[in-house]
Amino acid sequence: MNLMENEKSYMRQAIALAEAAVANGDHPFGALLVKDGEVVLTAVNTVHTDHDITRHAELNLVSQATRQFTPEFLADCTLVTSTEPCAMCAGAIYWAGISRVVFGCAAATLGQIAGGTFVIPCAEIFARGTRPVTVIGPVLEEEGTAVHQLFWPRIKE
């Protein structure tokens, strides 16, 4: 399996986590942390279940990861997320020292679907830092977008 096939497999896992978040009553976002071809952590959005607007999937993942792993370990990890990280999550990823992000649905696409008012591509945020963070995406954007197309119109009704 080549690298892109691995990324597609990881992305499908992140999208399944987003679907699980919706089943739990939360927003459709899922993320996983990969090191050396192995998924070492997963997280979902828990904004509603935790009654905390900051409980995005990526932030939940980074919080777990920084408590569990060393900075050296995290520097060699990839964070795979069903949707491009927001500014808050991009900052957390950067400060955790994670060096690579792969996302599904682009922030601009989510903004169009959900009516986003603070849409900044994560690569723009990472570009302001002093160390590089590789950004790959969108990967499987149609699949990553589908969960949003089902979820957000119901919220707006």
Side-chain angles (χ1 to χ4, degrees), residues 11-31 43-49 55-58 60 80-85 103-106 109-111 113-114 141 143-156:
M11 186 56 61
R12 287 189 173 106
Q13 290 177 59
I15 293 166
L17 288 165
E19 291 165 347
V22 172
N24 290 335
D26 286 295
H27 295 157
F29 301 92
V44 297
N45 179 292
T46 58
V47 164
H48 288 297
T49 55
R55 296 291 86 206
H56 294 190
E58 300 91 343
N60 285 339
V80 179
T81 180
S82 61
T83 305
E84 186 172 4
F103 68 85
C105 178
T109 303
L110 173 62
I113 296 167
E141 187 169 28
E143 292 178 41
T145 301
V147 67
H148 293 294
Q149 290 172 327
L150 292 172
F151 180 83
W152 294 106
R154 292 188 328 211
I155 299 301
K156 292 178 184 178

Side-chain angles (χ1 to χ4, degrees), residues 99-145:
S99 62
R100 190 166 179 267
V101 172
V102 178
F103 68 85
C105 178
T109 303
L110 173 62
Q112 291 170 350
I113 296 167
T117 59
F118 189 58
V119 177
I120 304 170
C122 68
E124 287 184 29
I125 302 208
F126 295 136
R128 301 291 182 131
T130 58
R131 75 170 173 76
V133 177
T134 301
V135 177
I136 298 171
V139 172
L140 299 178
E141 187 169 28
E142 281 187 35
E143 292 178 41
T145 301

Side-chain angles (χ1 to χ4, degrees), residues 47-64:
V47 164
H48 288 297
T49 55
D50 285 343
H51 306 286
D52 181 347
I53 198 68
T54 68
R55 296 291 86 206
H56 294 190
E58 300 91 343
L59 193 56
N60 285 339
L61 187 84
V62 168
S63 293
Q64 289 178 59

